[in-house]
Amino acid sequence: MKHIALYPGSFDPFTNGHLDILHRATKLFEKVVVTVAVNNEKKSVFSGDERVQLIQECLSGTEWGARVQITQFTGLLVDHAKKMGAHTLIRGVRQISDFEYEFRMALTNKRLAPSIDTVFLMPDEQLTFISASLVKEVAYWGGDLGSFVPKHVEIALKNKLHPSSS
Ligand code: PNS
């Protein structure tokens, strides 16, 4: 049986930290399905389609990208995991402060779908401080995002937040 893992998140935008976790997941699982949570109640900079496109561009030129599929979902995560045939959820944990929320989410998903497990992965130490919300703040004020996100994500963020200067 092919072991499929689902890597869910808002990914608004996809950062170098997300990319690192995704790459690690492809070393552990035969196939990894990245899934972008689209929640119309939640304000996001990029639409679901734009986030999928930006993640897709991160994979071009990588050998492992061929084993990654990118999807979007609205609703319950475990329902999407079942639909995709995934028995494992991947979540990145950067520091202890992430863990309380992640643990609650994993337990909730476990209660909803006992056969689905959550695997926590740590990113490279250099990337542990990166978060999508800080990236957006730095982008908003025109800071250098070179070490936070891939180049095409940086350009897309600048075009979104400062369209007149591009
Ligand atoms: O990148 P994020 O915002 O931390 O990702 C959180 C996400 C989207 C994975 C989580 O909010 C989620 O799974 N939402 C879907 C609704 C759901 O299934 N909720 C129950 C689990 S807490």
Side-chain angles (χ1 to χ4, degrees):
M1 197 173 79
K2 222 175 180 191
H3 208 129
I4 302 171
L6 194 79
Y7 179 32
S10 302
F11 303 129
D12 186 45
F14 202 71
T15 66
N16 287 342
H18 294 134
L19 189 58
D20 181 90
I21 295 290
L22 176 59
H23 186 200
R24 284 170 201 278
T26 62
K27 293 179 192 167
L28 299 172
F29 298 93
E30 286 174 59
K31 180 176 169 184
V32 180
V33 180
V34 179
T35 190
V36 174
V38 180
N39 179 351
N40 293 333
E41 312 282 290
K42 212 168 147 184
K43 212 171 158 286
S44 60
V45 171
F46 294 103
S47 69
D49 286 346
E50 287 170 330
R51 283 178 268 164
V52 167
Q53 179 61 34
L54 290 172
I55 299 168
Q56 193 68 60
E57 283 173 43
C58 291
L59 305 180
S60 63
T62 67
E63 159 272 314
W64 50 270
R67 288 183 292 108
V68 176
Q69 181 185 355
I70 307 164
T71 61
Q72 301 180 45
F73 83 104
T74 301
L76 276 184
L77 179 60
V78 289
D79 289 342
H80 189 64
K82 285 178 193 164
K83 196 170 133 199
M84 300 310 296
H87 298 280
T88 309
L89 303 173
I90 303 286
R91 291 290 290 174
V93 177
R94 296 160 299 185
Q95 35 215 306
I96 290 291
S97 54
D98 285 344
F99 199 71
E100 200 183 336
Y101 165 66
E102 293 298 334
F103 198 59
R104 274 191 282 128
M105 198 155 78
L107 287 172
T108 305
N109 286 328
K110 189 111 190 115
R111 181 66 62 88
L112 293 170
S115 64
I116 298 178
D117 286 304
T118 302
V119 168
F120 298 110
L121 295 179
M122 284 165 62
D124 186 284
E125 200 188 342
Q126 307 277 335
L127 304 170
T128 50
F129 66 95
I130 299 177
S131 72
S133 49
L134 281 182
V135 163
K136 281 181 277 199
E137 192 170 322
V138 174
Y140 180 79
W141 295 109
D144 179 8
L145 288 171
S147 58
F148 297 76
V149 292
K151 192 71 195 165
H152 67 280
V153 174
E154 182 178 4
I155 293 168
L157 260 174
K158 277 188 185 150
N159 290 343
K160 269 282 175 195
L161 300 177
H162 303 288
S164 54
S165 62
S166 50

